[in-house]
Coordinates of all heavy atoms in Angstrom, one line a residue:
M1 N 212.6 96.5 231.5 CA 213.2 95.4 230.9 C 213.8 95.9 229.5 O 213.1 96.5 228.8 CB 212.4 94.3 230.9 CG 213.1 92.9 230.6 SD 214.3 92.4 231.7 CE 213.3 92.1 233.2
V2 N 215.0 95.4 229.3 CA 215.6 95.7 228.0 C 215.9 94.5 227.4 O 216.5 93.5 227.9 CB 216.9 96.6 228.2 CG1 217.6 96.7 226.8 CG2 216.7 97.9 228.9
L3 N 215.6 94.3 226.1 CA 215.8 93.1 225.4 C 216.7 93.5 224.1 O 216.3 94.4 223.4 CB 214.5 92.3 224.9 CG 214.8 91.3 223.9 CD1 215.5 90.1 224.4 CD2 213.3 90.9 223.4
S4 N 217.8 92.9 223.9 CA 218.6 93.2 222.8 C 218.8 91.8 222.0 O 219.0 90.8 222.6 CB 220.0 93.7 223.0 OG 219.9 94.9 223.6
V5 N 218.5 91.8 220.8 CA 218.7 90.6 220.0 C 219.7 90.9 218.8 O 219.8 91.9 218.2 CB 217.4 90.2 219.3 CG1 217.5 88.9 218.4 CG2 216.3 89.9 220.2
F6 N 220.5 89.8 218.5 CA 221.7 90.1 217.7 C 221.7 88.8 216.6 O 221.3 87.8 217.0 CB 223.0 89.9 218.4 CG 223.1 91.0 219.5 CD1 222.8 90.5 220.8 CD2 223.6 92.3 219.3 CE1 222.8 91.6 221.8 CE2 223.6 93.2 220.4 CZ 223.2 92.8 221.6
G7 N 222.0 89.2 215.4 CA 222.0 88.2 214.3 C 223.4 88.4 213.5 O 223.9 89.5 213.5
D8 N 223.9 87.3 213.0 CA 225.0 87.4 212.1 C 225.0 86.4 211.1 O 224.6 85.2 211.4 CB 226.3 87.2 213.1 CG 227.7 87.3 212.3 OD1 227.7 88.2 211.4 OD2 228.6 86.6 212.6
E9 N 225.4 86.7 209.9 CA 225.5 85.9 208.8 C 227.0 85.9 208.4 O 227.6 87.0 208.3 CB 224.7 86.2 207.6 CG 224.8 85.3 206.3 CD 224.0 85.8 205.3 OE1 223.2 86.7 205.5 OE2 224.2 85.3 204.2
S10 N 227.6 84.7 208.3 CA 229.0 84.6 208.1 C 229.4 83.3 207.4 O 228.5 82.6 207.0 CB 229.8 84.8 209.4 OG 231.1 85.0 209.2
S11 N 230.6 83.1 207.2 CA 231.0 81.9 206.7 C 232.4 81.4 207.3 O 233.0 82.3 207.9 CB 231.2 81.9 205.1 OG 232.3 82.8 204.8
D12 N 232.6 80.2 207.2 CA 233.8 79.6 208.0 C 234.9 79.2 206.9 O 234.8 79.6 205.7 CB 233.6 78.5 208.9 CG 232.9 77.3 208.2 OD1 233.0 77.3 206.9 OD2 232.4 76.4 208.8
E13 N 236.1 78.5 207.3 CA 237.0 78.3 206.4 C 236.6 77.5 205.3 O 237.2 77.4 204.3 CB 238.2 77.6 207.1 CG 238.8 78.3 208.3 CD 237.9 78.2 209.6 OE1 237.3 77.0 209.7 OE2 237.7 79.1 210.4
T14 N 235.5 76.6 205.4 CA 235.0 75.6 204.4 C 234.1 76.3 203.5 O 233.4 75.7 202.6 CB 234.4 74.4 205.1 OG1 233.2 74.9 205.8 CG2 235.4 73.7 206.0
R15 N 234.0 77.7 203.7 CA 233.0 78.5 202.9 C 231.5 78.0 203.1 O 230.7 78.2 202.3 CB 233.4 78.5 201.4 CG 234.8 79.0 201.3 CD 234.9 79.7 199.9 NE 236.2 80.2 199.7 CZ 236.7 81.4 200.0 NH1 235.9 82.2 200.6 NH2 238.0 81.7 199.7
Q16 N 231.3 77.4 204.2 CA 229.9 77.0 204.5 C 229.3 78.2 205.3 O 229.9 78.9 206.1 CB 229.9 75.8 205.5 CG 230.4 74.6 204.9 CD 229.6 74.1 203.7 OE1 228.5 74.0 203.8 NE2 230.2 73.8 202.6
R17 N 228.0 78.5 205.0 CA 227.4 79.6 205.7 C 227.0 79.2 207.0 O 226.6 78.1 207.4 CB 226.1 79.9 204.9 CG 226.3 80.6 203.7 CD 225.1 81.3 203.2 NE 225.4 82.6 202.6 CZ 224.8 83.4 202.0 NH1 223.4 83.3 202.1 NH2 225.1 84.5 201.5
V18 N 227.2 80.1 207.9 CA 226.9 80.1 209.4 C 226.0 81.2 209.8 O 226.2 82.4 209.4 CB 228.1 80.1 210.1 CG1 227.9 80.0 211.7 CG2 229.1 79.0 209.8
F19 N 224.9 80.9 210.4 CA 223.9 81.9 210.9 C 223.9 81.6 212.4 O 223.8 80.6 212.9 CB 222.6 81.5 210.3 CG 222.5 81.7 208.9 CD1 222.6 80.5 208.0 CD2 222.2 82.9 208.3 CE1 222.6 80.7 206.7 CE2 222.2 83.0 206.9 CZ 222.4 81.8 206.1
A20 N 223.9 82.8 213.1 CA 223.7 82.7 214.6 C 222.7 83.8 215.0 O 222.8 84.9 214.4 CB 225.1 83.0 215.1
V21 N 221.9 83.5 215.9 CA 221.0 84.5 216.5 C 221.1 84.2 218.0 O 221.1 83.2 218.5 CB 219.5 84.1 216.1 CG1 218.5 85.2 216.7 CG2 219.6 84.2 214.5
S22 N 221.1 85.3 218.8 CA 221.1 85.3 220.2 C 220.3 86.4 220.8 O 220.0 87.4 220.1 CB 222.5 85.4 220.8 OG 223.0 86.6 220.5
G23 N 219.9 86.3 222.0 CA 219.1 87.4 222.6 C 219.6 87.3 224.2 O 219.8 86.4 224.8
V24 N 219.7 88.5 224.7 CA 219.9 88.7 226.1 C 218.9 89.8 226.6 O 218.7 90.7 225.9 CB 221.3 89.1 226.3 CG1 222.2 87.9 226.1 CG2 221.7 90.3 225.5
W25 N 218.7 89.7 227.9 CA 217.7 90.7 228.4 C 218.2 91.0 229.9 O 218.8 90.2 230.5 CB 216.2 90.3 228.4 CG 216.0 89.0 229.3 CD1 215.6 89.0 230.6 CD2 216.1 87.8 228.9 NE1 215.5 87.8 231.0 CE2 215.7 86.9 230.0 CE3 216.4 87.0 227.7 CZ2 215.8 85.5 229.9 CZ3 216.4 85.7 227.7 CH2 216.1 84.9 228.8
G26 N 217.8 92.1 230.4 CA 218.0 92.5 231.7 C 217.5 93.9 232.0 O 216.9 94.5 231.1
T27 N 217.4 94.3 233.1 CA 216.9 95.6 233.5 C 218.0 96.7 233.0 O 219.1 96.4 232.7 CB 216.8 95.8 235.1 OG1 218.0 95.6 235.7 CG2 215.9 94.6 235.6
E28 N 217.5 98.0 233.0 CA 218.3 99.1 232.6 C 219.5 99.1 233.6 O 220.8 99.2 233.0 CB 217.6 100.4 232.6 CG 218.3 101.6 232.1 CD 218.6 101.4 230.6 OE1 217.8 100.8 229.9 OE2 219.7 102.0 230.2
P29 N 219.5 99.1 234.8 CA 220.6 99.0 235.6 C 221.6 98.0 235.4 O 223.0 98.1 235.3 CB 220.1 99.0 237.1 CG 218.9 99.5 237.0 CD 218.3 99.1 235.8
E30 N 221.1 96.8 235.0 CA 221.9 95.6 234.7 C 222.6 95.9 233.4 O 223.9 95.6 233.3 CB 221.2 94.3 234.5 CG 220.7 93.7 235.8 CD 219.7 92.7 235.8 OE1 218.9 92.7 234.7 OE2 219.7 91.8 236.6
W31 N 222.0 96.5 232.5 CA 222.7 96.8 231.1 C 223.8 97.9 231.4 O 224.8 97.8 230.8 CB 221.6 97.2 230.0 CG 221.0 96.1 229.4 CD1 219.8 95.7 229.6 CD2 221.6 95.3 228.5 NE1 219.6 94.6 228.7 CE2 220.8 94.4 228.0 CE3 222.9 95.2 227.9 CZ2 221.0 93.3 227.2 CZ3 223.3 94.1 227.1 CH2 222.3 93.3 226.6
Q32 N 223.5 98.8 232.1 CA 224.5 99.9 232.5 C 225.8 99.2 233.1 O 226.9 99.7 232.7 CB 224.0 100.9 233.3 CG 222.9 101.7 232.7 CD 222.1 102.6 233.6 OE1 222.3 102.6 234.9 NE2 221.4 103.7 233.1
Q33 N 225.6 98.2 233.9 CA 226.8 97.5 234.5 C 227.6 96.8 233.5 O 228.8 96.8 233.5 CB 226.3 96.6 235.6 CG 226.0 97.3 236.9 CD 225.5 96.3 237.9 OE1 225.4 95.1 237.7 NE2 225.3 96.8 239.2
V34 N 226.7 96.0 232.7 CA 227.3 95.2 231.5 C 228.1 96.3 230.6 O 229.3 95.9 230.2 CB 226.3 94.4 230.9 CG1 227.0 93.8 229.6 CG2 225.8 93.2 231.8
E35 N 227.5 97.2 230.2 CA 228.1 98.2 229.2 C 229.4 98.7 229.9 O 230.5 98.8 229.1 CB 227.2 99.2 228.8 CG 226.2 98.7 227.9 CD 225.1 99.8 227.4 OE1 225.3 100.9 228.0 OE2 224.2 99.3 226.8
A36 N 229.4 99.1 231.0 CA 230.6 99.6 231.8 C 231.7 98.6 231.7 O 232.9 98.9 231.4 CB 230.3 100.1 233.2
A37 N 231.4 97.4 232.2 CA 232.4 96.4 232.4 C 233.0 96.1 230.9 O 234.1 95.8 230.8 CB 231.8 95.1 233.0
W38 N 232.0 95.9 229.9 CA 232.4 95.6 228.5 C 233.4 96.6 228.0 O 234.5 96.2 227.4 CB 231.2 95.6 227.7 CG 231.3 95.1 226.3 CD1 231.9 95.7 225.2 CD2 231.1 93.6 225.8 NE1 232.0 94.9 224.0 CE2 231.4 93.7 224.4 CE3 230.6 92.4 226.3 CZ2 231.3 92.6 223.6 CZ3 230.4 91.4 225.5 CH2 230.8 91.5 224.3
T39 N 233.0 97.9 228.2 CA 234.0 99.0 227.7 C 235.3 98.9 228.4 O 236.3 99.2 227.7 CB 233.3 100.3 227.9 OG1 232.0 100.3 227.1 CG2 234.1 101.4 227.4
A40 N 235.3 98.6 229.7 CA 236.5 98.6 230.5 C 237.3 97.5 230.0 O 238.6 97.5 229.8 CB 236.3 98.3 231.9
Q41 N 236.8 96.3 229.5 CA 237.5 95.2 229.1 C 238.1 95.3 227.7 O 239.1 94.8 227.3 CB 236.7 93.9 229.1 CG 236.5 93.4 230.6 CD 235.5 92.2 230.6 OE1 234.4 92.4 230.8 NE2 236.1 91.1 230.4
T42 N 237.3 96.0 226.9 CA 237.6 96.2 225.4 C 238.3 97.5 225.1 O 238.9 97.6 224.0 CB 236.4 96.2 224.5 OG1 235.6 97.2 224.8 CG2 235.7 94.9 224.6
G43 N 238.4 98.3 226.1 CA 239.1 99.7 226.0 C 238.4 100.5 224.8 O 238.9 101.3 224.2
G44 N 237.0 100.1 224.7 CA 236.2 100.9 223.7 C 236.3 100.2 222.3 O 235.7 100.7 221.4
E45 N 237.2 99.3 222.1 CA 237.4 98.6 220.8 C 236.1 97.9 220.3 O 235.5 97.1 221.2 CB 238.5 97.5 220.8 CG 238.8 96.9 219.6 CD 240.0 95.9 219.7 OE1 240.6 95.9 220.7 OE2 240.1 95.1 218.8
V46 N 235.7 98.0 219.1 CA 234.6 97.3 218.7 C 234.9 95.8 218.6 O 235.9 95.3 218.2 CB 234.2 97.8 217.2 CG1 233.0 97.0 216.6 CG2 233.8 99.2 217.3
F47 N 233.9 95.0 219.1 CA 234.1 93.6 219.2 C 233.5 93.0 217.9 O 232.4 93.2 217.6 CB 233.3 93.0 220.5 CG 233.3 91.5 220.5 CD1 234.5 90.9 220.9 CD2 232.2 90.8 220.2 CE1 234.4 89.4 221.0 CE2 232.1 89.4 220.3 CZ 233.3 88.8 220.7
H48 N 234.3 92.2 217.3 CA 233.9 91.3 216.1 C 234.5 90.0 216.3 O 235.6 89.7 216.5 CB 234.4 91.8 214.8 CG 233.9 93.1 214.4 ND1 232.7 93.3 213.8 CD2 234.4 94.4 214.3 CE1 232.4 94.5 213.5 NE2 233.4 95.2 213.9
A49 N 233.5 89.1 216.7 CA 234.0 87.7 217.1 C 234.8 87.0 216.1 O 235.9 86.5 216.6 CB 232.5 86.8 217.3
A50 N 234.6 87.0 214.8 CA 235.5 86.4 214.0 C 237.0 87.0 214.0 O 237.9 86.2 213.9 CB 234.9 86.6 212.5
E51 N 237.0 88.3 214.1 CA 238.4 88.9 214.1 C 239.1 88.6 215.5 O 240.3 88.2 215.4 CB 238.3 90.5 214.1 CG 237.7 90.9 212.8 CD 237.5 92.4 212.7 OE1 237.9 93.1 213.7 OE2 236.9 92.8 211.8
W52 N 238.3 88.5 216.6 CA 239.1 88.1 217.8 C 239.4 86.6 217.8 O 240.5 86.3 218.4 CB 238.1 88.6 218.9 CG 238.1 90.0 219.3 CD1 238.0 91.0 218.4 CD2 238.0 90.6 220.6 NE1 237.9 92.2 219.1 CE2 237.9 92.0 220.4 CE3 238.0 90.0 221.8 CZ2 238.0 92.8 221.5 CZ3 238.1 90.9 222.9 CH2 238.0 92.4 222.8
E53 N 238.5 85.9 217.2 CA 239.0 84.5 217.1 C 240.1 84.2 216.2 O 241.1 83.6 216.6 CB 237.7 83.7 216.5 CG 237.8 82.2 216.4 CD 237.9 81.5 217.8 OE1 237.3 81.9 218.8 OE2 238.5 80.5 217.8
H54 N 240.2 84.9 215.1 CA 241.3 84.8 214.2 C 242.6 85.2 214.8 O 243.6 84.7 214.5 CB 241.0 85.5 213.0 CG 242.0 85.5 211.9 ND1 242.3 84.3 211.2 CD2 243.0 86.4 211.4 CE1 243.3 84.5 210.4 NE2 243.8 85.8 210.6
A55 N 242.5 86.3 215.6 CA 243.7 86.9 216.3 C 244.1 86.1 217.5 O 245.0 86.5 218.3 CB 243.4 88.3 216.7
A56 N 243.4 85.0 217.9 CA 243.6 84.1 218.9 C 243.4 84.8 220.3 O 244.2 84.6 221.3 CB 244.9 83.5 219.0
R57 N 242.5 85.7 220.4 CA 242.2 86.5 221.6 C 241.1 85.7 222.3 O 240.1 86.3 223.0 CB 241.7 87.9 221.2 CG 242.8 88.7 220.4 CD 242.2 90.0 220.0 NE 241.9 91.0 221.2 CZ 241.6 92.2 221.0 NH1 241.4 92.7 219.8 NH2 241.4 93.0 221.9
H58 N 241.3 84.4 222.6 CA 240.3 83.5 223.2 C 240.1 84.0 224.7 O 239.0 84.0 225.2 CB 240.9 82.1 223.3 CG 241.2 81.6 221.8 ND1 242.4 81.3 221.3 CD2 240.4 81.7 220.7 CE1 242.3 81.0 220.0 NE2 241.1 81.2 219.7
D59 N 241.1 84.3 225.5 CA 240.9 84.6 226.9 C 240.1 85.9 227.0 O 239.3 85.9 227.9 CB 242.3 84.8 227.7 CG 243.1 83.5 227.8 OD1 242.4 82.4 227.7 OD2 244.3 83.6 228.0
E60 N 240.3 86.8 226.1 CA 239.5 88.1 226.2 C 238.2 87.9 225.8 O 237.2 88.4 226.4 CB 240.2 89.2 225.2 CG 241.6 89.7 225.7 CD 242.2 90.5 224.6 OE1 242.7 89.9 223.6 OE2 242.2 91.8 224.7
Y61 N 238.0 87.1 224.8 CA 236.6 86.7 224.3 C 235.9 86.0 225.4 O 234.8 86.3 225.6 CB 236.8 85.7 223.0 CG 235.6 85.5 222.2 CD1 235.9 85.2 220.8 CD2 234.5 85.3 222.6 CE1 234.8 85.0 219.9 CE2 233.3 85.1 221.7 CZ 233.5 84.9 220.5 OH 232.5 84.5 219.7
K62 N 236.5 84.9 226.1 CA 235.8 84.2 227.1 C 235.5 85.3 228.2 O 234.4 85.1 228.9 CB 236.9 83.2 227.7 CG 236.3 82.5 228.8 CD 237.4 81.4 229.3 CE 236.8 80.6 230.5 NZ 237.9 79.7 230.9
A63 N 236.3 86.2 228.5 CA 236.1 87.2 229.7 C 234.8 88.0 229.4 O 234.1 88.3 230.2 CB 237.3 88.0 230.0
L64 N 234.7 88.3 228.1 CA 233.5 89.1 227.7 C 232.2 88.2 227.8 O 231.2 88.8 228.2 CB 233.6 89.6 226.2 CG 234.6 90.8 226.0 CD1 234.9 91.1 224.5 CD2 234.2 92.0 226.7
A65 N 232.3 87.0 227.4 CA 231.1 86.2 227.6 C 230.7 85.9 229.0 O 229.6 86.0 229.4 CB 231.4 84.8 226.8
Q66 N 231.8 85.9 229.8 CA 231.6 85.8 231.3 C 230.9 87.0 231.9 O 230.2 86.9 232.8 CB 232.8 85.3 232.0 CG 233.3 83.8 231.7 CD 234.7 83.5 232.2 OE1 235.5 84.3 232.3 NE2 234.9 82.2 232.6
T67 N 231.4 88.1 231.4 CA 230.9 89.4 231.9 C 229.2 89.4 231.6 O 228.5 89.8 232.4 CB 231.5 90.6 231.0 OG1 232.9 90.6 231.6 CG2 230.8 91.9 231.4
L68 N 228.9 89.0 230.4 CA 227.5 88.9 230.1 C 226.8 88.0 231.0 O 225.6 88.3 231.5 CB 227.2 88.6 228.6 CG 227.6 89.7 227.5 CD1 227.3 89.0 226.2 CD2 226.6 90.8 227.7
A69 N 227.3 86.7 231.2 CA 226.6 85.8 231.9 C 226.6 86.1 233.4 O 225.6 85.7 234.0 CB 227.4 84.4 231.7
A70 N 227.5 86.8 233.8 CA 227.6 87.1 235.3 C 226.5 88.2 235.7 O 226.1 88.3 236.8 CB 229.1 87.5 235.8
R71 N 226.2 89.1 234.7 CA 225.5 90.2 235.0 C 224.1 90.2 234.5 O 223.3 91.1 234.9 CB 226.2 91.5 234.5 CG 227.5 91.8 235.4 CD 228.2 92.9 234.9 NE 229.4 93.3 235.7 CZ 230.5 92.7 235.7 NH1 230.7 91.7 234.9 NH2 231.4 93.2 236.6
L72 N 223.7 89.3 233.6 CA 222.4 89.3 233.1 C 221.8 88.0 233.4 O 222.2 86.9 233.5 CB 222.4 89.6 231.6 CG 222.8 91.0 231.2 CD1 222.9 91.0 229.7 CD2 221.9 92.0 231.7

């Protein structure tokens, strides 16, 4: 079983601090499938949620979230 935990500290337009913590887990083969699908969708581009949101890449962002949800 593989567990990955992610945290982010940021701020929004109102300059209010925003904290987010998430965790996802799965078996090694599940992670391999997710990583392959993720890389195919992003073309290897590093994902930064705030940047993708600002660039209105909502459909791509949604597809990545669905990739995680469908495989883990």
Side-chain angles (χ1 to χ4, degrees):
M1 191 61 65
V2 177
L3 170 66
S4 291
V5 177
F6 306 91
D8 184 36
E9 177 184 352
S10 191
S11 63
D12 61 13
E13 306 81 39
T14 63
R15 302 208 183 270
Q16 297 294 314
R17 285 197 146 181
V18 177
F19 299 92
V21 177
S22 67
V24 290
W25 65 90
T27 64
E28 186 66 29
E30 289 171 327
W31 273 111
Q32 290 171 347
Q33 288 180 349
V34 168
E35 288 176 1
W38 186 281
T39 301
Q41 288 176 265
T42 63
E45 179 182 349
V46 175
F47 174 76
H48 290 284
E51 291 175 11
W52 285 42
E53 181 71 27
H54 182 70
R57 296 175 71 177
H58 305 121
D59 291 339
E60 293 168 283
Y61 194 147
K62 179 180 176 180
L64 290 172
Q66 290 173 330
T67 294
L68 287 175
R71 289 177 172 80
L72 295 176

